[in-house]
Amino acid sequence: MTQTSQWPVPEDSVRYVVPAPIIRLLSSHPLTRDLYPLAFGHYRRAVGHHMHREHHSDNLMIYCTEGKAFLNVLGEPYTVEPGDLLLLPAGAHHRYTADPANPWTIHWVHYTGPLAEEFRNYMGFSGTTRIRHLGRQPRLLVDFNGLLSVRQTGFRARGLIHAANRLRQLMAAVPLNADETSHEHKAELDTIHNYMREHLDERISLDQLADLAGLSPAHFATRYREQTGTSPIQHFLHLKVERACQMLDTTELSFADISRRLGYDDAYYFSRLFKKVMGQSPRDYRHTARH
């Protein structure tokens, strides 16, 4: 059984522990066995909240929305503040204490399953990255509150199967919520992406985009990939293919006409790029039944 803190939960906070028989079901059910929750909750201004775990057999994710806490993981000290998402993986002995003068408010979930490590890496955590600062993320709050929607259902298996998949949704969305760039860099990305969308009828180069950012092409390409996970030209191509799909769906234009409208005089060349992205030719895409 997971080891939750023994903090006395007041009426405006929630601690929900999944019963052992349901955990056994989640660990074997094909829809949940790869990742499932063991306990979750929401603590408001958790005065006196503290925990020390030497043998931590599950994973614990905490999202702080207010206040502050002091954390130590494997001997390394940290301060947790509003907007921080914290992940304590299985096996990492730790202790934390809410700031007595300004105690944290948190959503939290204990979980386990074979995919836990894969999701840890996908969310951007590692042996040296314990905390990601996401800021206030309404989508993340919706997903955490979605776990709590199973309360007062009498531990129904179907409700907790749903909660397990809400957990997967929550974790898969973390990279979408993450914004580790400065406001200046975010504004720069917005400028670049707006420029791309406004020039889908052209062929733009890496040099043009780098000039827009005021950087050398090599520096710009490296920084763009660090911030987005892809290259700028690849993203521009995907925007063109998205637009081509939209025109194939909503117009009777030939693909040659669509190609010209997207800056490609050689429709055969653009068709090959389209197929590489979509996995099917423009003709097959247009004639595939979709409802």
Side-chain angles (χ1 to χ4, degrees), residues 171-191:
M171 297 169 76
V174 165
L176 301 177
N177 291 320
D179 178 13
E180 295 184 323
T181 63
S182 67
H183 290 301
E184 178 184 350
H185 289 174
K186 185 176 185 302
E188 176 189 293
L189 275 180
D190 288 343
T191 299

Side-chain angles (χ1 to χ4, degrees), residues 55-56 76 100 143 159 183 266:
H55 305 289
H56 186 49
E76 291 289 328
D143 288 341
H183 290 301
D266 186 346

